[in-house]
Amino acid sequence: MFIIDVTNPLTLVLLLAATVLLIFLGKEIKKPVAPALALIGFLLLVLMHSIQLGIIPTVNYDVYRSQLLGCITVDLIMIFVTFFGYLWIDDIACKFYKKKSLDNSLDWFWKQV
């Protein structure tokens, strides 16, 4: 069974670097499309890992299960990070283009900090 192992430290560092670069690219061009691409990519990864978890072969079940659960955990953490990056860039784009945001998505967060 082929698994994209995002729990591997090298892969994790590369994914984190690519995500941070996409967030900063979105900040520079003031468009939330760049972090949205990372968000869609991580959503596809968690979907793929979830499907693979459902069709694990009986041979080496425990090894595949623990590896896939670790991958899903990392995917969900990265979705959380990229979602906040997307909201941040969307707020920057709304202020730059003087558009009215439907809701100030991060106001509740910044008021707590």
Coordinates of all heavy atoms in Angstrom, one line a residue, residues 52-99:
Q52 N -7.6 5.5 2.8 CA -6.7 4.4 2.9 C -6.8 3.7 4.3 O -6.6 2.5 4.4 CB -5.2 5.0 2.8 CG -4.8 5.3 1.4 CD -3.4 5.8 1.3 OE1 -2.9 6.3 2.3 NE2 -2.8 5.7 0.2
L53 N -7.2 4.5 5.3 CA -7.5 3.9 6.6 C -8.7 2.9 6.6 O -8.7 1.9 7.3 CB -7.8 5.0 7.6 CG -7.9 4.6 9.1 CD1 -6.6 4.0 9.6 CD2 -8.3 5.8 10.0
G54 N -9.6 3.2 5.7 CA -10.8 2.3 5.6 C -10.5 1.1 4.8 O -11.2 0.1 4.9
I55 N -9.5 1.1 4.0 CA -9.2 -0.1 3.1 C -7.8 -0.7 3.5 O -7.2 -1.2 2.6 CB -9.3 0.2 1.6 CG1 -8.3 1.4 1.3 CG2 -10.7 0.6 1.2 CD1 -8.2 1.6 -0.2
I56 N -7.5 -0.7 4.7 CA -6.2 -1.3 5.1 C -6.2 -2.8 4.9 O -7.2 -3.4 5.3 CB -5.9 -1.0 6.6 CG1 -5.8 0.5 6.9 CG2 -4.6 -1.7 7.1 CD1 -5.6 0.8 8.4
P57 N -5.1 -3.3 4.3 CA -5.1 -4.8 4.2 C -4.8 -5.4 5.6 O -4.3 -4.8 6.5 CB -3.9 -5.0 3.3 CG -3.1 -3.8 3.3 CD -4.0 -2.7 3.7
T58 N -5.2 -6.7 5.7 CA -5.1 -7.3 7.0 C -3.7 -7.6 7.3 O -3.3 -7.8 8.5 CB -5.9 -8.6 7.0 OG1 -5.5 -9.5 5.9 CG2 -7.4 -8.3 6.9
V59 N -2.8 -7.7 6.3 CA -1.4 -7.9 6.6 C -0.8 -6.6 7.1 O -1.0 -5.6 6.5 CB -0.7 -8.4 5.3 CG1 0.8 -8.6 5.5 CG2 -1.3 -9.6 4.7
N60 N -0.1 -6.7 8.2 CA 0.5 -5.5 8.8 C -0.5 -4.4 9.2 O -0.3 -3.2 9.0 CB 1.6 -4.9 8.0 CG 2.8 -5.8 7.8 OD1 3.1 -6.6 8.7 ND2 3.4 -5.7 6.6
Y61 N -1.7 -4.8 9.7 CA -2.8 -3.9 10.0 C -2.4 -2.9 11.0 O -2.6 -1.7 10.8 CB -4.0 -4.7 10.5 CG -5.1 -3.8 10.9 CD1 -6.0 -3.3 10.0 CD2 -5.4 -3.6 12.3 CE1 -7.0 -2.5 10.4 CE2 -6.4 -2.8 12.7 CZ -7.3 -2.3 11.7 OH -8.3 -1.5 12.1
D62 N -1.7 -3.3 12.1 CA -1.3 -2.4 13.1 C -0.3 -1.3 12.7 O -0.4 -0.2 13.1 CB -0.8 -3.1 14.3 CG -1.8 -4.0 15.0 OD1 -3.0 -3.6 14.9 OD2 -1.5 -5.0 15.6
V63 N 0.6 -1.7 11.8 CA 1.7 -0.8 11.3 C 1.0 0.3 10.4 O 1.3 1.5 10.6 CB 2.7 -1.5 10.5 CG1 3.7 -0.6 9.9 CG2 3.5 -2.5 11.4
Y64 N 0.2 -0.2 9.5 CA -0.5 0.8 8.6 C -1.4 1.7 9.4 O -1.5 2.9 9.1 CB -1.2 0.1 7.5 CG -0.4 -0.5 6.4 CD1 -0.5 -1.8 6.0 CD2 0.6 0.3 5.8 CE1 0.3 -2.3 4.9 CE2 1.4 -0.1 4.8 CZ 1.2 -1.5 4.3 OH 2.0 -1.9 3.3
R65 N -2.2 1.1 10.3 CA -3.1 1.9 11.1 C -2.5 3.0 11.9 O -2.9 4.2 11.8 CB -3.9 1.0 12.0 CG -5.0 1.7 12.8 CD -5.8 0.8 13.7 NE -6.8 1.5 14.4 CZ -6.6 2.0 15.6 NH1 -5.4 1.9 16.2 NH2 -7.6 2.6 16.2
S66 N -1.4 2.7 12.6 CA -0.7 3.7 13.4 C 0.0 4.8 12.5 O 0.0 6.0 12.8 CB 0.4 3.1 14.3 OG 1.4 2.5 13.6
Q67 N 0.5 4.4 11.3 CA 1.1 5.3 10.4 C 0.1 6.2 9.8 O 0.3 7.4 9.7 CB 1.8 4.6 9.3 CG 2.6 5.4 8.4 CD 3.4 4.6 7.3 OE1 3.1 3.4 7.1 NE2 4.3 5.3 6.6
L68 N -1.1 5.7 9.4 CA -2.1 6.5 8.8 C -2.8 7.5 9.9 O -3.1 8.6 9.5 CB -3.2 5.6 8.2 CG -2.8 5.0 6.9 CD1 -3.8 4.0 6.4 CD2 -2.6 6.1 5.8
L69 N -2.9 7.0 11.1 CA -3.5 7.9 12.1 C -2.5 9.1 12.4 O -3.0 10.2 12.6 CB -3.8 7.1 13.4 CG -5.0 6.2 13.3 CD1 -5.1 5.4 14.6 CD2 -6.2 7.0 13.0
G70 N -1.2 8.8 12.4 CA -0.2 9.9 12.5 C -0.3 10.8 11.4 O -0.2 12.1 11.6
C71 N -0.5 10.3 10.2 CA -0.6 11.2 9.0 C -1.8 12.0 9.0 O -1.8 13.2 8.7 CB -0.6 10.3 7.7 SG 1.0 9.6 7.3
I72 N -2.9 11.5 9.5 CA -4.2 12.2 9.6 C -4.1 13.3 10.6 O -4.5 14.4 10.4 CB -5.4 11.3 9.9 CG1 -5.7 10.4 8.6 CG2 -6.6 12.1 10.3 CD1 -6.7 9.3 8.9
T73 N -3.4 13.0 11.7 CA -3.2 14.0 12.8 C -2.4 15.2 12.2 O -2.7 16.4 12.5 CB -2.5 13.4 14.0 OG1 -3.2 12.3 14.5 CG2 -2.3 14.4 15.1
V74 N -1.3 14.9 11.5 CA -0.4 16.0 11.0 C -1.2 16.8 9.9 O -1.1 18.0 9.9 CB 0.9 15.4 10.4 CG1 1.6 16.4 9.6 CG2 1.7 14.8 11.5
D75 N -2.0 16.1 9.1 CA -2.8 16.8 8.1 C -3.8 17.7 8.8 O -4.0 18.9 8.3 CB -3.6 15.7 7.3 CG -2.8 14.9 6.4 OD1 -1.6 15.3 6.1 OD2 -3.2 13.8 5.9
L76 N -4.5 17.3 9.8 CA -5.4 18.2 10.5 C -4.8 19.4 11.1 O -5.3 20.5 11.1 CB -6.2 17.4 11.5 CG -7.2 16.3 10.9 CD1 -7.8 15.5 12.1 CD2 -8.2 17.0 10.1
I77 N -3.6 19.2 11.7 CA -2.8 20.3 12.2 C -2.4 21.3 11.1 O -2.6 22.5 11.3 CB -1.6 19.8 13.0 CG1 -2.0 19.1 14.3 CG2 -0.6 21.0 13.3 CD1 -0.9 18.4 15.0
M78 N -2.0 20.8 10.0 CA -1.7 21.7 8.9 C -2.9 22.4 8.3 O -2.8 23.5 7.9 CB -0.9 20.9 7.8 CG 0.4 20.4 8.3 SD 1.5 21.6 8.8 CE 2.0 22.4 7.3
I79 N -4.1 21.7 8.3 CA -5.3 22.4 7.9 C -5.6 23.5 8.8 O -6.0 24.6 8.3 CB -6.5 21.3 7.8 CG1 -6.3 20.4 6.6 CG2 -7.8 22.1 7.7 CD1 -7.2 19.3 6.6
F80 N -5.4 23.3 10.1 CA -5.7 24.4 11.1 C -4.8 25.6 10.8 O -5.2 26.7 10.8 CB -5.4 23.8 12.5 CG -5.7 24.8 13.6 CD1 -6.9 25.2 13.9 CD2 -4.6 25.3 14.3 CE1 -7.1 26.1 15.0 CE2 -4.8 26.2 15.3 CZ -6.0 26.6 15.6
V81 N -3.5 25.3 10.6 CA -2.5 26.4 10.3 C -2.9 27.2 9.0 O -2.9 28.4 9.0 CB -1.1 25.9 10.3 CG1 -0.1 26.9 9.7 CG2 -0.7 25.4 11.7
T82 N -3.1 26.4 7.9 CA -3.4 27.1 6.7 C -4.7 27.8 6.7 O -4.9 28.8 6.0 CB -3.3 26.1 5.5 OG1 -4.2 25.0 5.7 CG2 -1.9 25.6 5.3
F83 N -5.7 27.3 7.4 CA -7.0 28.0 7.5 C -6.8 29.3 8.1 O -7.4 30.3 7.7 CB -8.0 27.1 8.2 CG -9.4 27.8 8.3 CD1 -10.1 27.9 7.1 CD2 -9.9 28.2 9.4 CE1 -11.4 28.5 7.1 CE2 -11.2 28.8 9.5 CZ -11.9 28.9 8.3
F84 N -6.1 29.4 9.2 CA -5.8 30.7 9.8 C -5.0 31.6 8.9 O -5.2 32.8 8.9 CB -5.2 30.6 11.2 CG -6.2 30.4 12.3 CD1 -6.3 29.2 12.9 CD2 -7.0 31.4 12.7 CE1 -7.2 29.0 13.9 CE2 -7.9 31.2 13.7 CZ -8.0 30.0 14.3
G85 N -4.1 31.0 8.2 CA -3.3 31.8 7.2 C -4.2 32.4 6.1 O -4.1 33.5 5.7
Y86 N -5.1 31.5 5.7 CA -6.1 32.0 4.7 C -7.0 33.1 5.2 O -7.2 34.1 4.5 CB -7.0 30.8 4.2 CG -8.1 31.2 3.3 CD1 -7.9 31.5 2.0 CD2 -9.4 31.4 3.8 CE1 -8.9 31.9 1.1 CE2 -10.4 31.8 3.0 CZ -10.2 32.0 1.6 OH -11.2 32.5 0.8
L87 N -7.5 33.0 6.4 CA -8.3 34.1 7.0 C -7.5 35.4 7.1 O -8.0 36.5 6.9 CB -8.9 33.6 8.3 CG -10.0 32.6 8.3 CD1 -10.4 32.2 9.7 CD2 -11.1 33.0 7.4
W88 N -6.2 35.2 7.5 CA -5.4 36.4 7.7 C -5.2 37.1 6.4 O -5.3 38.3 6.3 CB -4.1 36.0 8.3 CG -3.1 37.0 8.6 CD1 -3.3 38.2 9.2 CD2 -1.7 37.0 8.2 NE1 -2.1 38.9 9.2 CE2 -1.1 38.2 8.6 CE3 -0.9 36.1 7.5 CZ2 0.2 38.5 8.4 CZ3 0.4 36.4 7.3 CH2 1.0 37.6 7.7
I89 N -4.8 36.3 5.3 CA -4.6 36.9 4.0 C -5.9 37.5 3.4 O -5.9 38.6 2.8 CB -4.0 35.9 3.0 CG1 -2.7 35.4 3.6 CG2 -3.7 36.5 1.7 CD1 -1.6 36.4 3.9
D90 N -7.0 36.9 3.7 CA -8.3 37.4 3.2 C -8.6 38.7 3.9 O -9.1 39.6 3.2 CB -9.4 36.4 3.5 CG -10.7 36.8 2.9 OD1 -10.7 37.1 1.7 OD2 -11.7 36.8 3.6
D91 N -8.3 38.9 5.1 CA -8.5 40.1 5.8 C -7.6 41.2 5.3 O -8.0 42.4 5.1 CB -8.2 39.9 7.3 CG -8.6 41.2 8.1 OD1 -9.7 41.7 7.9 OD2 -7.8 41.6 9.0
I92 N -6.3 40.9 5.0 CA -5.4 41.8 4.4 C -5.9 42.3 3.0 O -5.8 43.4 2.7 CB -4.0 41.2 4.3 CG1 -3.4 41.1 5.7 CG2 -3.1 42.0 3.4 CD1 -2.1 40.3 5.7
A93 N -6.4 41.3 2.2 CA -6.8 41.6 0.8 C -8.1 42.5 0.9 O -8.2 43.4 0.1 CB -7.1 40.3 0.1
C94 N -9.0 42.3 1.9 CA -10.2 43.1 2.0 C -9.8 44.5 2.4 O -10.4 45.5 1.8 CB -11.1 42.5 3.0 SG -12.0 41.1 2.4
K95 N -8.8 44.7 3.2 CA -8.4 46.0 3.6 C -7.7 46.7 2.5 O -7.9 47.9 2.3 CB -7.5 46.0 4.9 CG -8.3 45.6 6.1 CD -7.4 45.5 7.3 CE -8.2 45.1 8.5 NZ -7.3 44.9 9.7
F96 N -6.9 46.0 1.7 CA -6.1 46.6 0.6 C -7.0 47.0 -0.5 O -6.8 48.1 -1.0 CB -5.1 45.6 0.1 CG -4.2 46.2 -1.0 CD1 -3.2 47.1 -0.7 CD2 -4.4 45.8 -2.3 CE1 -2.4 47.6 -1.7 CE2 -3.6 46.3 -3.3 CZ -2.6 47.2 -3.0
Y97 N -7.9 46.2 -0.9 CA -8.8 46.5 -2.0 C -10.1 47.3 -1.6 O -11.0 47.5 -2.4 CB -9.2 45.2 -2.8 CG -8.1 44.6 -3.5 CD1 -7.6 43.3 -3.1 CD2 -7.4 45.2 -4.5 CE1 -6.6 42.7 -3.7 CE2 -6.3 44.7 -5.1 CZ -5.9 43.4 -4.7 OH -4.8 42.8 -5.4
K98 N -10.1 47.6 -0.3 CA -11.2 48.4 0.3 C -12.6 47.7 0.0 O -13.6 48.3 -0.3 CB -11.2 49.8 -0.2 CG -10.0 50.6 0.3 CD -10.0 52.0 -0.2 CE -8.9 52.8 0.3 NZ -7.6 52.3 0.1
K99 N -12.6 46.4 0.2 CA -13.8 45.6 0.1 C -14.4 45.4 1.5 O -13.7 45.2 2.4 CB -13.6 44.3 -0.6 CG -13.2 44.4 -2.1 CD -13.0 43.0 -2.7 CE -12.6 43.1 -4.1 NZ -12.5 41.8 -4.7

